[in-house]
Amino acid sequence: METQILPINDYSIKLAAELLKSGEIAAIPTETVYGLAGNGLSAQSVKKIFVAKNRPADNPLILHIPDTDWLYRYSKSVPEPALKLAERFWPGSLTMIMPKNNIVPDETSGGLTTAAFRMPDNKYTLKLIELCGFPLAAPSANLSGLPSPTEARHVYNDLNGKIPLILDGGSCSCGLESTVIAFTEKGVKILRPGGVTPEMLGEFCEVEIDKAVTEGLEEDGKAFSPGMKYKHYSPKAAVYMIECGDYGDFIEFVNNNYDENTLVLTDVAGKIRAKTLSYGNTDKREAAELFSALRQADELGAEKIYVKAPEKKGIGLAVYNRLIRAAAFKVIKL
């Protein structure tokens, strides 16, 4: 099919709403990454998302809603802490997992008895959901396994000819998928880190971090959140994450192990003899620019990428999580 790109505005969201109501799918912007949206209550629409992305069917999707009250439409029970967290972090980069009603099809939940909910921080996307009258299932609008799209052109490069419409809302401000949490007896467990950090959540409740965030899911483990089970966010080049305390050690390793097809992601090029590509000089900028940098590395023809592991605190934990999956857990510890 022909894929059309339109700037997001009142006209284009009305057009997108009609497409989505007819059972079609479309790419939409959020503050995190671009999502590939379909009717989250329609098994047929959701199947189109999986086909376009070539996504494994047991990988659950997130339902995007425009108002906290919608939780009661699609969840069997809403934990009290969820309302407090929604008041603080919605709209924004926080996804919460709750028991689902039968109206949410298994195709959306990956066969689980739970569903994930988020309110995106984009006024046009929120208005689009209201125009549709149903929650939008919207995983990242890329081919499964590739770096997530933070610009409309990234979506087009992956899905041209596979979807009818891309709404262009410019570059995503956060640049990483949302934080996903499940509720526990004591507080919350982070299943996927994102822009809402453990430290931010810790102001409201006790926070546990699932070991799969940094170690990967066990071979027979169940994925209760997107981003847990499969290799994700990976460019064509082989990514190697280097864990070391001192930047000098990183430079020395790179200079002893590079060739003409090596690219180093860094904003501190300094004495590095290999080709370098900037991806931010703060944790927040690294988060916003990581996926774009990984895509640019492919455009530059890199075959091997070296990147220093960020500290696993604040949003650095989310960057670490994306990098370790992009590297398929190829971590070199110095």
Side-chain angles (χ1 to χ4, degrees):
M1 65 178 70
E2 180 181 353
T3 299
Q4 187 177 17
I5 302 179
L6 294 176
I8 193 167
N9 52 38
D10 289 334
Y11 165 76
S12 62
I13 63 171
K14 289 178 181 177
L15 177 63
E18 292 307 311
L19 273 173
L20 292 164
K21 287 178 182 178
S22 73
E24 268 299 345
I25 57 179
I28 61 172
T30 76
E31 80 285 11
T32 56
V33 300
Y34 276 76
L36 183 55
N39 183 349
L41 306 182
S42 165
Q44 294 305 314
S45 293
V46 169
K47 287 176 182 177
K48 288 185 179 182
I49 294 174
F50 281 98
V51 170
K53 283 178 58 66
N54 193 28
R55 180 184 175 99
D58 63 345
N59 202 0
L61 306 181
I62 294 170
L63 290 173
H64 293 68
I65 59 175
D67 191 280
T68 305
D69 288 344
W70 281 39
L71 290 173
Y72 296 98
R73 301 184 188 183
Y74 312 114
S75 176
K76 282 185 177 180
S77 60
V78 179
E80 185 64 29
L83 300 177
K84 295 179 180 179
L85 293 175
E87 183 178 2
R88 169 61 181 84
F89 296 111
W90 279 6
S93 181
L94 180 66
T95 294
M96 296 185 280
I97 294 177
M98 305 172 200
K100 74 179 182 75
N101 280 338
N102 292 334
I103 193 174
V104 179
D106 288 343
E107 286 79 1
T108 299
S109 65
L112 302 173
T113 59
T114 55
F117 300 92
R118 182 169 98 84
M119 187 190 300
D121 190 8
N122 183 296
K123 65 176 183 179
Y124 285 112
T125 298
L126 291 174
K127 189 172 180 180
L128 170 62
I129 302 169
E130 290 177 338
L131 286 173
C132 289
F134 46 72
L136 296 181
S140 56
N142 59 324
L143 291 176
S144 188
L146 295 183
S148 298
T150 55
E151 299 177 23
R153 66 183 181 91
H154 298 159
V155 182
Y156 188 84
N157 289 343
D158 281 10
L159 301 179
N160 179 29
K162 296 177 180 290
I163 61 176
L165 178 64
I166 301 169
L167 296 180
D168 187 350
S171 298
C172 301
S173 58
C174 178
L176 294 179
E177 299 86 352
S178 61
T179 302
V180 180
I181 62 171
F183 293 94
T184 66
E185 291 184 2
K186 295 182 179 180
V188 301
K189 177 185 284 191
I190 294 177
L191 304 181
R192 181 182 73 185
V196 176
T197 67
E199 293 82 356
M200 293 163 69
L201 291 168
E203 297 178 11
F204 294 85
C205 57
E206 186 173 319
V207 178
E208 175 187 358
I209 299 173
D210 194 289
K211 67 177 184 178
V213 165
T214 56
E215 299 177 19
L217 196 66
E218 295 178 1
E219 189 172 339
D220 58 347
K222 190 79 171 175
F224 291 98
S225 161
M228 289 186 74
K229 188 170 184 180
Y230 299 95
K231 179 183 177 183
H232 280 286
Y233 325 117
S234 188
K236 297 173 184 175
V239 178
Y240 295 87
M241 189 166 67
I242 314 301
E243 284 194 358
C244 57
D246 184 83
Y247 217 93
D249 293 336
F250 176 71
I251 294 172
E252 182 180 359
F253 173 85
V254 170
N255 287 344
N256 289 331
N257 294 275
Y258 80 97
D259 58 31
E260 62 181 7
N261 297 313
T262 299
L263 192 62
V264 183
L265 298 189
T266 180
D267 252 70
V268 190
K271 298 179 181 179
I272 294 176
R273 293 196 289 267
K275 291 178 288 188
T276 62
L277 180 64
S278 170
Y279 93 116
N281 56 7
T282 66
D283 287 349
K284 188 173 182 180
R285 291 313 310 162
E286 287 178 356
E289 297 174 18
L290 174 60
F291 289 143
S292 182
L294 290 175
R295 285 178 174 268
Q296 191 176 348
D298 276 345
E299 293 170 3
L300 293 172
E303 295 179 3
K304 182 166 56 178
I305 298 171
Y306 288 134
V307 58
K308 186 179 183 296
E311 290 190 61
K312 290 177 277 189
K313 64 179 183 180
I315 200 168
L317 176 65
V319 178
Y320 184 99
N321 169 264
R322 301 318 190 269
L323 280 173
I324 201 170
R325 279 165 168 72
F329 296 89
K330 295 189 292 290
V331 180
I332 298 172
K333 298 183 179 183
L334 303 184

